[in-house]
Amino acid sequence: MASGGARATLVAFSLASLAAGAAPGQVTTGAIVGTVRDPSEAVLAGASITLESPALPEGPLTRTTNERGEFRFPQLSPGLYGIRIETAGFEPYREENLRVLVGGTVERNVVLPIFGMSETVSVTAPGGIVDTQKAGLSTNYSSEYLQNTPLRRFDMLDLVKTAPGISPTRTTQRFTEFSSFGSGTNENLFLMDGANFTSPSLGTGGTSIATDVIEEVEILSLGASAEYGNFQGAVINLVTKQGGNQWRFDASYFNRSQRFTSQPIRLDCRCETGETGFTQDRFHDFTAHGGGPILPHRLWIFGGFERHQDHWSEPGTPPGVLATWDTRRLFYKLTWQVSPDLKLIHSFHDDIWTIPDTPTAAFPLETLVRSEGHSPAVNFLSLSHRLSENTLWDLRVSGSFLHRDSIPNSGREKPFHFDLATGQASGGSYGFGSFGRRRIDVEGKLTHYAAQFLEVSHDFKFGVQFARGGHDGFYGYPGGAFYYDYAGEPYLAYFRQPFLYGGQSQNLGAFAEDTLRLGDRLTVNLGVRFDRSQALSQDLPAVDSRGERTGRTIEGLGDLYTWNVFSPRLGFNFELTGDGKTILRGSFGRFYQGVLAHELDPVHPGQTPITLAYFDPATGRYSDVASVIEPFANVRLDPKTTSPNTDSFSVGLDRELTQNVAFGATYLRKNGRDFTGWEDIRGVYGNDVALLQDGSSLVVYPLLNDPSERLFLLTNPEDWVLRYNGLLLTLQKRWSGRWQALLSYSLSEAEGLQASSGGGPGAAQNSGGGLFFNRFGRDPNDLTNATGTLANDRTHMFRVQGAVEVPKIDVLLGVNFQQLTGKPWAGAALVRLPQGTRPIFVETRGARRLPAQSLLDFRISKIFRFPGERKIELLLDVLNLLDEAAAEGVVTTNIFSPQFGEGSRFVTPRQAMLGIRFSF
């Protein structure tokens, strides 16, 4: 549960920062740079450079070129800019519609003709679609993509799941977990306006973000600089909209219904109707936002809300049994230009939700849990101050929080049953509890540009970052038991009293970075960061069996371990052609994972014993006790655990084909090591052969000593690794001439052994060995055939995203197409051993795959324009136009079950979504 202190801190910071605000660091901005010369190629010092843009509500920016003829605008909000260059005795230069992207650099090297001469202005730089300074690989979705691409509107990350190189755990269902180029779903970094809202417990996104508040999305997949730490995957950087000098408002409404929903899959519902298909009972998504000046040219506000209702049921679910998802999202952002050199921004986002588990034929409603809670993310205070033409500093204080109650649909007394033979759940709900999470970040950065330091231009960055986060929770099994049946008969059970869990992490990081410009063509980025990460076990208030506090305190274990790591980063960008239209780029970096607080749960003193017992037909009770796991005697955390890390290497070629059109090719390789996992360091295991039901044999490892003598250690097992090789091809057309497109194809392989290697095809790829309820690796039989293809591996991923606006009739057509290889899995057999019944892979992981998916979302809209930039847009989105019916999971991986390999949790079928959008 969230503590009262955390709530008080949240309120206090929010109120205090209304008088201050937050400022964009480099992660929320882009840049325009260049050089001005005369026809003889001599540099022109003192030339006046002016930028104008709706993204500059404070007014135009003006700079002068330095003694080398250089100009720099390093902190620009994303958007379209116009540039004007003037100096006495020369013709002026003007250009419109320069697109500045988050994290991107637009270069303009201009030759001005002498005044009165007939020469035209010469520009020796590409159109901006090829970045001549970036070493890594990123995908940017500008405001046009966000407006024109058909989305499912559950979460902003719905779009991220379809980006080049991103492998979603599930494609169309309401899950936002994804893997970036082979990394785990718990290894990404999530930022909103530069503020970190990554979960300190799981490493996933800490809150769901409303779609219509986002101005631009940057997905930094490879080559992240030393400014970013404690992750191994991608940086997801969301930049929100801001108010301007004119009041603007927009509203939208989207609706889906069963009338326009197909049912390609129908399954036995064990009810009077016989079979049912996917049912869309209700879908309403309403948003309203507005922004404008509080003080023109000085203080602006943008804000609004979203109400999202999605009620549906899966095939095989009895009529009227629905998953009823309801969310309300609130957002506001204050931007204050205190002076020409000082900017502050403050923002607040909250996601208030009721999200139940999704009933299926295998998991009926009464076996599931409903979650209620909210997850605010606050940019308390962020400042950006320009000390001089070449020096500026940033300071940011932010936080993200979550409170969740897990409410059992069948109450807290009726126990849960799961049939190992059929994969069918029955009885009561599987669990209940409450959970609170909090994170506070403070970071500062100094940036200095030195034009002629050691005869080379340098862009120095130095920063310090502090983060503290953690969680605490309460969990229990209804009835104090978790039953496993086999073919309808009692088989075994776990007995456990409700328990507490919790963990905290604390990180202090520092980085130094230098971007060098060597000559006119080569840019080199050198960086290093240091991180000191501490794992802490905190005191928790004791609770009774219903989760009510008793007044006692359960003391935590204090400091558990500390990681001190250095992360080198290196990147380069070389212009192969003098016009800057063809570049070769490359990057190398070591990326360390920070402490994930959920890995500390298993050793917290609030844990309770777990008893495993088999059903004895003679007594009619679960009296055959196989083992008792005492948390303090049988579970430990290795104090010598080291930080999981990945070495990432990439090399790529980008070529501007025509203005606003570019082709890219990137090869990348990742090698990950030191992932956390379980080992039994005191159990003594033999080597035997088990005879399976079909007469085949399987090597097994029975426990030879007493189960109470085992010691499960969370450590860094030697063979838990990641090996990834990939090739990515892209073709991009930026919005111009009323159309845009992004095509990508990735060919890749991710293999190794991680904590999620024991899961089924619907599981997310996760590298955290000690995360909640994960016990994979505690028994050596878990590792049989487990090394292989990782859970989110998709060999082929081909994607097309685009939109075209038909002139004169104001009709827009948009598409979002994906062709994806299915996720890997393998069959297993259940073998009873002295230590209990174990699922053991009988084939190498990756021997089987889910069906491939061809998904096409299509949009057609009609725009009605009115004076004063007002418009109404009528939209028709057809989601899954091809009516793909692929399964995203299986009922069971037990090869001897009649339901072995049967599909479960299918792709959402074809649906029409009607919408209307107002802008005025």
Side-chain angles (χ1 to χ4, degrees), residues 45-87:
S48 175
I49 318 294
T50 301
L51 289 186
E52 295 178 321
S53 172
L56 297 171
E58 66 271 27
L61 296 179
T62 300
R63 303 282 188 269
T64 57
T65 56
N66 62 17
E67 65 276 9
R68 300 179 62 181
E70 299 170 340
F71 64 88
R72 301 175 69 253
F73 295 89
Q75 281 196 321
L76 299 176
S77 297
L80 293 174
Y81 287 77
I83 186 171
R84 186 173 70 252
I85 303 176
E86 300 173 304
T87 191

Side-chain angles (χ1 to χ4, degrees), residues 105-296:
T105 300
V106 177
E107 185 177 5
R108 281 294 177 268
N109 299 319
V110 179
V111 176
L112 297 180
I114 298 174
F115 184 77
M117 304 296 288
S118 59
E119 295 96 329
T120 58
V121 177
S122 174
V123 181
T124 58
I129 194 168
V130 170
D131 195 319
T132 57
Q133 297 196 17
K134 181 173 288 187
L137 175 70
S138 64
T139 301
N140 288 70
Y141 289 109
S142 63
S143 57
E144 290 89 359
Y145 269 104
L146 301 179
Q147 285 288 319
N148 300 335
T149 303
L151 300 174
R152 296 174 184 273
R153 300 193 63 80
F154 170 64
D155 186 295
M156 186 61 247
L157 297 181
D158 287 340
L159 178 62
V160 175
K161 292 197 308 182
T162 66
I166 298 295
S167 174
T169 299
R170 298 178 188 172
T171 51
T172 64
Q173 294 201 10
R174 300 145 183 84
F175 295 87
T176 54
E177 294 176 328
F178 57 86
S179 171
S180 175
F181 292 107
S183 296
T185 60
N186 62 306
E187 296 175 359
N188 299 310
L189 181 65
F190 297 87
L191 306 173
M192 182 170 64
D193 289 334
N196 193 333
F197 68 96
T198 311
S199 166
S201 304
L202 288 171
T204 54
T207 188
S208 294
I209 306 298
T211 302
D212 292 342
V213 305
I214 303 300
E215 176 68 24
E216 185 170 320
V217 180
E218 180 198 26
I219 305 164
L220 181 53
S221 306
L222 299 167
S225 70
E227 187 171 352
Y228 303 95
N230 299 304
F231 78 107
Q232 300 177 83
V235 179
I236 311 303
N237 191 9
L238 310 178
V239 177
T240 61
K241 297 175 181 178
Q242 64 178 10
N245 284 319
Q246 292 184 333
W247 285 99
R248 301 288 186 192
F249 300 91
D250 65 78
S252 67
Y253 173 73
F254 290 85
N255 175 268
R256 302 180 212 162
S257 69
Q258 184 58 36
R259 179 181 302 178
F260 304 112
T261 299
S262 70
Q263 292 188 334
I265 300 293
R266 296 183 64 85
L267 298 178
D268 182 6
C269 64
R270 299 178 179 88
C271 58
E272 293 182 0
T273 57
E275 294 182 340
T276 58
F278 183 93
T279 300
Q280 185 72 67
D281 179 74
R282 178 186 302 179
F283 182 94
H284 302 294
D285 185 274
F286 174 74
T287 67
H289 298 89
I294 298 176
L295 296 173

Side-chain angles (χ1 to χ4, degrees), residues 650-860:
S650 72
V651 60
L653 178 74
D654 294 328
R655 169 66 184 174
E656 181 179 313
L657 303 179
T658 64
Q659 188 174 18
N660 293 314
V661 179
F663 168 79
T666 303
Y667 167 76
L668 57 146
R669 181 180 180 87
K670 291 183 178 181
N671 289 302
R673 64 189 69 80
D674 293 334
F675 296 109
T676 54
W678 291 102
E679 289 184 338
D680 183 357
I681 61 173
R682 291 184 183 169
V684 179
Y685 294 87
N687 190 309
D688 202 350
V689 175
L691 187 66
L692 304 181
Q693 291 174 238
D694 62 354
S696 63
S697 60
L698 180 67
V699 175
V700 295
Y701 305 98
L703 180 69
L704 301 181
N705 57 339
D706 192 278
S708 64
E709 297 178 15
R710 292 178 295 177
L711 180 58
F712 303 122
L713 185 71
L714 183 62
T715 184
N716 305 107
E718 182 177 357
D719 297 325
W720 292 46
V721 298
L722 160 72
R723 293 180 294 271
Y724 179 86
N725 279 282
L727 173 68
L728 176 69
L729 305 176
T730 60
L731 181 65
Q732 182 179 10
K733 163 65 169 62
R734 188 173 291 170
W735 181 265
S736 64
R738 296 176 179 264
W739 71 285
Q740 64 189 12
L742 174 60
L743 287 75
S744 68
Y745 169 72
S746 62
L747 172 67
S748 64
E749 180 182 43
E751 60 178 1
L753 180 65
Q754 293 184 345
S756 58
S757 293
Q765 181 179 325
N766 193 305
S767 62
L771 297 184
F772 205 38
F773 291 145
N774 192 329
R775 300 186 180 96
F776 177 75
R778 289 188 178 187
D779 190 297
N781 293 282
D782 296 346
L783 306 181
T784 299
N785 290 320
T787 299
T789 309
L790 294 177
N792 273 45
D793 176 78
R794 298 182 188 269
T795 308
H796 304 281
M797 294 190 294
F798 175 68
R799 292 179 164 117
V800 178
Q801 298 167 320
V804 58
E805 187 176 313
V806 182
K808 297 183 180 180
I809 62 173
D810 280 336
V811 170
L812 184 136
L813 306 176
V815 297
N816 192 353
F817 173 76
Q818 303 181 76
Q819 174 69 44
L820 309 174
T821 301
K823 291 180 58 183
W825 62 288
L830 297 174
V831 180
R832 181 165 179 174
L833 298 169
Q835 62 266 39
T837 298
R838 307 299 306 177
I840 305 174
F841 286 125
V842 298
E843 51 195 16
T844 302
R845 179 166 178 81
R848 302 171 186 267
R849 283 189 179 269
L850 291 174
Q853 298 183 15
S854 296
L855 302 168
L856 174 61
D857 297 339
F858 174 76
R859 166 174 291 179
I860 180 171

Side-chain angles (χ1 to χ4, degrees), residues 418-419 484-492 615 622:
F418 183 79
D419 196 303
Y484 286 95
D485 304 327
Y486 199 92
E489 298 296 328
Y491 184 51
L492 64 86
F615 183 79
Y622 292 85

Side-chain angles (χ1 to χ4, degrees), residues 186 198-204 230 435-439 467-473 500-507 533-538 540 557-558 560-561 563 593-605 607 637 644 676 678 714 766-773:
N186 62 306
T198 311
S199 166
S201 304
L202 288 171
T204 54
N230 299 304
F435 176 79
R437 188 187 69 215
R438 62 212 63 88
R439 176 190 186 111
R468 185 179 180 91
H471 66 270
D472 57 80
L500 293 172
Y501 60 93
Q504 292 182 344
S505 63
Q506 185 167 289
N507 178 265
S533 300
Q534 295 175 272
L536 308 168
S537 176
Q538 76 273 37
L540 293 177
L557 301 178
L560 297 175
Y561 56 78
W563 296 336
Q593 187 67 42
V595 173
L596 298 178
H598 261 318
E599 292 208 300
L600 314 179
D601 293 341
V603 298
H604 195 278
Q607 297 277 339
L637 192 62
T676 54
W678 291 102
L714 183 62
N766 193 305
S767 62
L771 297 184
F772 205 38
F773 291 145

